Amino acid sequence: MSETSASAVADPNTHAATADGTTAGAPGGVRRRDFIDIAALSAAGVGGLAVLYPLISQMAPSEDVLAESTTDVDVSAIEPGQAIKSVFRKQPLFIRRLTDAEIAEANSVPLSALRDPETLSDRTLEGHLSLLVTMGVCTHLGCVPLGVTEGENRGEFGGYFCPCHGSHYDVAGRIRKGPAPTNLVVPEYTFNTDTVIRVG
Amino acid sequence: MARLIAILVGLGFTLVVLISFGVDTYTSITEPAPETAEHKFHLEPKAVSFPHDGVFGKWDTAQLQRGYVVYKEVCAACHSMKFVAFRDLADLGYTEPEVQALAAEWQVPGVDPQTGEAVLRAGEPTDYFPSPYPNAVAAAAANNNAIPPDLSLMAKARHGGAEYIYSLLTGYQEPSEELLAEFPEAAPGQGLYHNPYFPNLNLAMAPPLTATGQVSYEDGTEATIPQMAKDVSAFLSWTAEPTKVKRTQTGWPVLGFVLFATILAYLSKKQIWAAVKPAKRKD
Amino acid sequence: MSFAWAKQYEPSNGLMRWVDEKLPLPRLVYNAVGAGYPVPRNLNYMWNFGVLAGFALVLQIVTGVILAMHYAANAEVAFASVEHIMRDVNWGWMLRYAHANGASFFFVVIYLHIFRGLFYSSYKAPREMIWLLGVVIFLLVMATAFMGYVLPWGQMSFWGAKVITGLFGAIPLVGESIQVWLLGGFAPDNAALNRFFSLHFLLPFVTAGVIILHIWALHIPGSSNPTGVEVKSESDTVPFHPYYTAKDGFGLGIFLLIYFAVVFFLPNYLGHADNYIEANPLATPANIVPEWYFWPFYAILRAFTFDFILPAKLWGVLAMFASILLWFFLPWLDKSPVRSGHYRPLFRKFFWFGLIPCILVLGYCGGAHLSPWTIALSQLATAYYFLHFLVILPLISSFEKTEPMPYSITDAVLNADKKPVLGENTSPAV
């Protein structure tokens, strides 16, 4: 940086040195003065970064959205072989009562044949082997698989079939064929009463 | 030329506004506006202090819990509070199961899952406080055409805030002899009640707090009328701005940091300018 | 650019050289607000407010864009969506208070910026264009602020929208049709709310564009200064960076201290309680007043009460618009060859004892309850306002005997403590 304008002021060395920090070996005291400038700039930088925190976190779910993060569902009316669709955190929730034949079928599959090895009992609550609760969200790209409503295509494995890109899930909601990487997600849930589950 | 036009326009506006001034001043001298009862007898809110006042204030959760009882037992009969959800009561120091229990004490509009008919069901934490009336027409019909206002924001929506609410609740009285002598028409009409803290002195709300022990406090505090009024005023301060204490508590570190940065900026500015300050020259 | 001795941009490394060759943006910034812009060395703190106004605009755009992510411009839910922001959105209360009070602080710095221009006659040749663009910016910001105040859909929002669009109803013959057209209905409702939201989002960016023109025009003659004496030599100036960046940084710190104190401790002080009541088309608040920054103009509007040839309502509207639009003509009304109020004894007296009290009285009356007193005061102040700008200012230059000015800026700075050299009196506040 040129020193042309420095002659305009009384003490060119000092101000030019602090202005751009290029004038090495300027008179004593420069280091302390540099420190003040750097400290002031750093404080401004820290302040700017601190401001980013609320500006970014405002996009996270708000209190009312977070508050609606549990769903109660009465599962007593689901007959074996039937499934219902509910809503959990604005997304579809599949609840399916398996028949004994379906349970047997699910248990007969060797884990080695699965892309995402999990047994049916891993995916259900203890003592409720026939009640399969999964998210109705294909783990590929988030479409809603078919297979809940009577008569819908349940895919080659009799569970769920995602029409978007052809992922086939078996009766335990496990991925068997197609592009999806993992089984349908089982959300956290517990039995509130004998007949009502609380998801979330 | 431009200046000449400007002077003419300027004199024009001046003339016209001075004519208005002359006419108005003459009128106000010859026919002074009559004194009004509102102007002469309206009182400013009483001075009351709350633990959450000021820049260091904190909510007194025991007081807010008592205020909630007053709202529930007294105010809620006529006033809605639609921007407040039961889940918000956790701020008052209630645990999650307690909030669920408190919510379940309220009946909120719902839908029968079997038939789809409109029904009332027990409240859940995610529900908002229900309105006592199905709609504005019903509210007006039940209250002599005066719709009871929603209370969520009452402490911010009135000059004087919580002090105003306290003063109003404790300010019901018979109109003074002096008032009636000077303004006989200011006597409360049918279905109206005199209260000098209300802007036009007569309001449609009957005195809501009428007797000591009208509500029962769990913490054993005696529910006198001033006590209930103060508690519910504090509660309504909270409903109006639940983030108030968080706000002031955030303000201090922010101000402290900005002060620190400003001092650094001043020192930096001072040393950068030292070279061009004439005081540095010895000439 | 403007001075021969202005420093030239020299890229500090290869990357910057490459960028500068393809797109000389670094050079533009360097010449606009960097070391390449020589600025008079004697600017006082009144010269901080331009940068602060720019900062306030950025602040409003950032907080505003964020609020728009949560706000719903629909009359059914607008008020509730603002409460949703205040109660449930993470930091929503802070962002909304920052935006609402940011508007007030934007006007504080704009008004100080304007008063600086008025006292030091910054509008005079060769800086007329800067001033004209500045008035355009002011009008844009006023329009934006007005429409923004409607968005929360409280009682003041609603009645403000109704009353201000009602001003156009004063226009003979077509006024009512214009009002209905502006609102898209017979009263403010969804149509009005949506168009106000749309324009409230758009206009700040238009404003930013005009600000670029404002700064461009500033760089042609360069900044004015408290003496009003033009820059004569290199010793009269210092580079904008680091001198004025450092000074503006300090000024920004002071601004933020006051601003944050209000945002965190008194966020509703400048607002109105009635705007926490949801809009009700069937009940008018007892005292409809705009936000404080419109009070002086509102007082002028209300000062005209007598039908003199034209209806009083039309006079009020004409006077209110004239009170701002006359600023466009200031460069040609004030013909004194001397710029700075420092060297104009008569001008200075009218400025400090006439204009400033007049504006303060108008501001007070515009926000107060209507009473014979406030009406009378606002009428006298309105009369003075027009006299000051349209009669006194054009005339005093003919009578005024100005005081001796320093030969140069350097002269003024170096001999600041030797008053006799400069004349009897150089302090601005008499």
Side-chain angles (χ1 to χ4, degrees):
Chain A
M1 203 171 288
S2 78
E3 291 275 359
T4 43
S5 85
S7 60
V9 294
D11 190 355
N13 286 331
T14 319
H15 103 263
T18 50
D20 50 39
T22 53
T23 314
V30 166
R31 223 175 248 178
R32 187 183 64 80
R33 290 164 175 177
D34 275 348
F35 171 75
I36 290 171
D37 292 346
I38 291 166
L41 275 177
S42 310
V46 169
L49 285 176
V51 165
L52 285 181
Y53 175 66
L55 298 193
I56 290 169
S57 70
Q58 53 87 18
M59 299 228 288
S62 57
E63 296 279 334
D64 54 329
V65 173
L66 292 176
E68 283 175 7
S69 55
T70 61
T71 302
D72 290 352
V73 187
D74 184 345
V75 296
S76 60
I78 310 173
E79 296 294 326
Q82 272 191 337
I84 63 164
K85 207 185 271 189
S86 184
V87 179
F88 173 58
R89 293 180 182 165
K90 307 273 176 190
Q91 298 188 92
L93 181 74
F94 291 170
I95 303 168
R96 182 171 184 149
R97 180 79 70 185
L98 302 181
T99 61
D100 291 342
E102 285 172 331
I103 296 173
E105 186 196 333
N107 286 335
S108 69
V109 181
L111 283 186
S112 58
L114 295 173
R115 183 177 298 166
D116 183 8
E118 272 183 315
T119 64
L120 180 61
S121 55
D122 288 341
R123 295 172 58 74
T124 50
L125 292 188
E126 208 177 324
H128 297 279
L129 200 62
S130 68
L131 190 76
L132 179 71
V133 179
T134 62
M135 298 305 298
V137 179
C138 179
T139 56
H140 179 219
L141 291 170
C143 295
V144 179
L146 302 174
V148 171
T149 312
E150 213 61 52
E152 278 182 355
N153 185 353
R154 289 190 160 182
E156 292 175 18
F157 300 87
Y160 301 108
F161 169 67
C162 181
C164 290
H165 305 97
S167 291
H168 298 256
Y169 297 89
D170 67 12
V171 289
R174 296 175 296 195
I175 181 65
R176 299 293 287 275
K177 187 180 173 190
T182 55
N183 303 333
L184 290 179
V185 171
V186 177
E188 296 258 333
Y189 67 97
T190 52
F191 272 84
N192 249 11
T193 67
D194 285 346
T195 56
V196 177
I197 59 167
R198 163 160 293 180
V199 188
Chain B
M1 189 61 193
R3 284 198 285 172
L4 188 66
I5 295 171
I7 290 170
L8 289 177
V9 171
L11 289 175
F13 276 117
T14 307
L15 177 76
V16 175
V17 78
L18 286 180
I19 291 173
S20 292
F21 172 73
V23 172
D24 284 355
T25 311
Y26 178 77
T27 316
S28 66
I29 290 169
T30 53
E31 305 162 31
E35 175 71 298
T36 60
E38 291 87 357
H39 184 251
K40 195 164 174 187
F41 290 94
H42 175 250
L43 297 178
E44 286 300 305
K46 303 173 188 176
V48 205
S49 67
F50 295 95
H52 55 263
D53 283 345
V55 295
F56 296 109
K58 286 208 170 68
W59 300 119
D60 175 351
T61 50
Q63 183 181 46
L64 298 185
Q65 293 188 4
R66 292 195 302 270
Y68 166 70
V69 173
V70 179
Y71 171 74
K72 180 170 183 286
E73 301 295 331
V74 184
C75 317
C78 304
H79 292 277
S80 61
M81 200 163 68
K82 60 181 178 180
F83 297 120
V84 183
F86 297 123
R87 63 184 155 84
D88 295 330
L89 293 173
D91 286 8
L92 270 49
Y94 292 115
T95 61
E96 204 182 314
E98 284 172 335
V99 170
Q100 279 173 6
L102 289 172
E105 291 171 7
W106 295 77
Q107 291 290 305
V108 301
V111 173
D112 185 318
Q114 309 300 326
T115 64
E117 278 174 35
V119 292
L120 288 177
R121 60 170 173 82
E124 290 170 15
T126 48
D127 290 318
Y128 287 76
F129 277 86
S131 169
Y133 304 104
N135 52 52
V137 178
N143 290 284
N144 202 10
N145 272 332
I147 300 177
D150 186 85
L151 291 186
S152 319
L153 285 159
M154 190 50 68
K156 270 161 59 170
R158 295 289 183 277
H159 296 282
E163 291 188 336
Y164 167 80
I165 296 170
Y166 175 82
S167 308
L168 194 79
L169 291 176
T170 57
Y172 284 91
Q173 53 192 259
E174 288 302 312
S176 66
E177 304 259 322
E178 195 193 346
L179 170 69
L180 291 178
E182 197 174 341
F183 303 101
E185 73 284 1
Q190 182 66 38
L192 292 177
Y193 304 86
H194 181 74
N195 192 323
Y197 298 96
F198 192 68
N200 69 7
L201 307 182
N202 293 305
L203 77 164
M205 175 169 74
L209 302 175
T210 49
T212 298
Q214 190 173 351
V215 304
S216 50
Y217 286 142
E218 276 181 26
D219 63 0
T221 307
E222 193 187 8
T224 61
I225 291 175
Q227 181 70 42
M228 290 187 286
K230 193 167 176 183
D231 291 343
V232 79
S233 303
F235 175 71
L236 292 177
S237 303
W238 171 78
T239 63
E241 192 171 5
T243 52
K244 192 256 166 193
V245 169
K246 190 181 180 193
R247 163 162 68 74
T248 50
Q249 285 179 346
T250 311
W252 285 113
V254 170
L255 276 188
F257 179 80
V258 175
L259 181 65
F260 168 71
T262 305
I263 291 170
L264 285 178
Y266 174 72
L267 294 175
S268 170
K269 180 254 166 193
K270 205 174 134 191
Q271 73 89 2
I272 284 171
W273 277 85
V276 284
K277 282 281 186 205
K280 294 278 174 194
R281 287 176 63 112
K282 303 271 188 280
D283 58 15
Chain C
M1 297 276 264
S2 47
F3 300 112
W5 57 87
K7 286 200 222 175
Q8 292 303 309
Y9 178 66
E10 282 167 30
S12 54
N13 56 49
L15 177 65
M16 292 311 280
R17 186 175 302 112
W18 184 85
V19 172
D20 188 55
E21 276 170 16
K22 318 299 170 202
L23 177 73
L25 187 62
R27 183 176 298 273
L28 182 76
V29 173
Y30 184 88
N31 290 334
V33 290
Y37 178 39
V39 184
R41 61 193 285 193
N42 63 334
L43 303 188
N44 58 32
Y45 277 103
M46 286 308 291
W47 264 260
N48 274 52
F49 294 105
V51 165
L52 286 180
F55 174 82
L57 178 70
V58 172
L59 179 77
Q60 290 303 83
I61 288 179
V62 169
T63 52
V65 165
I66 285 172
L67 289 174
M69 296 179 187
H70 303 282
Y71 171 76
N74 180 302
E76 291 293 316
V77 294
F79 190 85
S81 76
V82 173
E83 277 311 306
H84 165 68
I85 291 170
M86 293 296 287
R87 288 160 194 269
D88 288 335
V89 172
N90 300 304
W91 298 97
W93 56 271
M94 187 176 85
L95 293 161
R96 193 222 164 192
Y97 279 147
H99 193 68
N101 288 292
S104 279
F105 277 78
F106 197 177
F107 275 96
V108 169
V109 293
I110 286 181
Y111 279 133
L112 290 168
H113 193 57
I114 294 172
F115 284 139
R116 194 283 315 271
L118 289 175
F119 182 78
Y120 293 105
S121 306
S122 302
Y123 46 79
K124 282 184 187 164
R127 296 185 181 78
E128 305 97 312
M129 185 55 83
I130 311 171
W131 173 260
L132 297 182
L133 290 166
V135 180
V136 171
I137 293 167
F138 182 60
L139 291 171
L140 282 169
V141 172
M142 293 222 299
T144 309
F146 160 67
M147 288 187 284
Y149 195 57
V150 176
L151 302 185
W153 211 240
Q155 273 288 66
M156 281 296 173
S157 302
F158 180 91
W159 291 98
K162 189 154 192 174
V163 167
I164 300 298
T165 53
L167 296 180
F168 294 90
I171 301 168
L173 301 176
V174 293
E176 250 170 72
S177 320
I178 290 180
Q179 184 185 0
V180 169
W181 173 76
L182 282 173
L183 290 174
F186 303 97
D189 203 351
N190 263 333
L193 184 59
N194 272 294
R195 68 190 58 179
F196 283 7
F197 179 55
S198 172
L199 293 173
H200 182 71
F201 208 114
L202 168 71
L203 288 187
F205 296 98
V206 176
T207 306
V210 184
I211 286 174
I212 288 173
L213 301 183
H214 187 65
I215 297 171
W216 187 5
L218 170 71
H219 282 69
I220 305 301
S223 298
S224 180
N225 71 84
T227 66
V229 178
E230 286 295 343
V231 169
K232 289 193 168 70
S233 67
E234 191 175 357
S235 70
D236 287 346
T237 66
V238 290
F240 189 86
H241 179 75
Y243 291 96
Y244 286 107
T245 42
K247 194 171 177 178
D248 285 330
F250 172 54
L252 180 63
I254 300 292
F255 169 86
L256 288 178
L257 273 178
I258 305 170
Y259 170 68
F260 282 135
V262 172
V263 167
F264 288 107
F265 297 143
L266 293 166
N268 294 308
Y269 180 74
L270 296 166
H272 203 292
D274 282 275
N275 226 28
Y276 281 110
I277 305 172
E278 199 167 352
N280 179 0
L282 304 180
T284 310
N287 183 27
I288 303 180
V289 287
E291 291 281 83
W292 67 268
Y293 36 80
F294 292 137
W295 286 352
F297 305 104
Y298 197 55
I300 291 176
L301 175 77
R302 298 201 292 194
F304 290 80
T305 55
F306 186 73
D307 297 341
F308 179 77
I309 303 173
L310 301 175
K313 182 183 179 186
L314 182 56
W315 274 115
V317 173
L318 285 176
M320 190 184 73
F321 283 110
S323 67
I324 303 168
L325 296 182
L326 63 83
W327 290 356
F328 277 117
F329 302 95
L330 272 193
W332 297 277
L333 296 180
D334 178 6
K335 300 303 275 188
S336 171
V338 175
R339 288 202 188 91
S340 173
H342 281 300
Y343 310 110
R344 301 185 59 191
L346 205 51
F347 167 87
R348 203 162 61 217
K349 286 197 179 65
F350 280 111
F351 186 87
W352 288 112
F353 299 120
L355 185 63
I356 298 297
C358 155
I359 302 275
L360 294 178
V361 165
L362 283 175
Y364 170 76
C365 294
H369 276 274
L370 277 179
S371 77
W373 273 112
T374 56
I375 291 275
L377 272 176
S378 61
Q379 286 163 337
L380 292 177
T382 301
Y384 181 79
Y385 184 91
F386 284 103
L387 278 183
H388 182 91
F389 282 112
L390 295 176
V391 180
I392 295 172
L393 218 49
L395 287 183
I396 52 174
S397 48
S398 314
F399 304 107
E400 191 172 45
K401 186 177 176 300
T402 57
E403 290 160 352
M405 293 194 291
Y407 167 74
S408 71
I409 292 170
T410 310
D411 212 27
V413 172
L414 297 185
N415 298 308
D417 43 351
K418 300 176 192 167
K419 288 228 171 103
V421 178
L422 297 176
E424 315 78 83
N425 185 1
T426 54
S427 65
V430 184

